[in-house]
Structures are given as C-alpha cells and as structure tokens.
Amino acid sequence: MFTTLFFIIFSGTMFYKGAEGWHWLDAMYFSVVSLIPTGVETGLYPTSDFSKIFTMIYLTSFSKSSTSIIGEMNASLSYFSVGVQTSAEIS
C-alpha cells in the first residue's frame, strides 16, 4: 500500500522536476495535491504539451489508486480505534 503510494508520488515528482524544471518540493507538492480531490490552488501549472498530456494520464490513472489507498488507510485506522477504550470507560 505505501509502496504503491510512494511510487505514484515519486513518479510524478521526478517527471515535473525534469520536464517543468520545478524545485523538487514544488514538484512533489503538485503531485500530491493533484491526486487529492480538494480543489486546492497550487499556483503551479504544466506548461508544455508533453507535460499536459502526462498530467492527464497521471490524474486519470492514479487518482483512483490514491483514493483506494486513502480509503484502506482510513478503514485500517477505524478498525484499530474500535477496540481502544479510554480510561473513563474502563473505570
């Protein structure tokens, strides 16, 4: 799960760093925020046709994967938090 998420973010970061010449942190930020359906304005935009095509493929290919991974993480956290009791509940 984390390996897949790492690969998705890493591939986007490396592409935007190389193709757009962005600083690695800007490239990573764009790669992460683009996959999360929040509508966050990054101020970063792909400028070349090649980058625009990559972005379309990146978003359509990986947005479902990232949503599934986030859902699995949420389910795992929910599973582990169900069995935890607070000290008030124990007393």
Side-chain angles (χ1 to χ4, degrees):
M1 175 171 46
F2 290 110
T3 304
T4 304
L5 187 59
F6 173 80
F7 173 73
I8 291 168
I9 294 170
F10 180 76
S11 63
T13 301
M14 296 313 296
F15 175 82
Y16 293 117
K17 184 174 177 359
E20 292 292 325
W22 295 344
H23 185 266
W24 70 269
L25 187 57
D26 290 334
M28 181 184 292
Y29 180 74
F30 185 79
S31 298
V32 171
V33 170
S34 296
L35 294 173
I36 301 171
T38 59
V40 173
E41 179 60 41
T42 63
L44 300 169
Y45 303 97
T47 54
S48 70
D49 289 340
F50 183 61
S51 293
K52 291 174 185 177
I53 291 169
F54 174 82
T55 302
M56 289 185 286
I57 294 169
Y58 179 75
L59 293 177
T60 56
S61 299
F62 294 134
S63 62
K64 184 175 185 212
S65 298
S66 65
T67 303
S68 297
I69 290 169
I70 291 170
E72 288 178 29
M73 290 169 54
N74 187 27
S76 296
L77 291 173
S78 296
Y79 174 77
F80 288 115
S81 66
V82 169
V84 177
Q85 294 179 341
T86 64
S87 58
E89 293 173 333
I90 295 172
S91 301

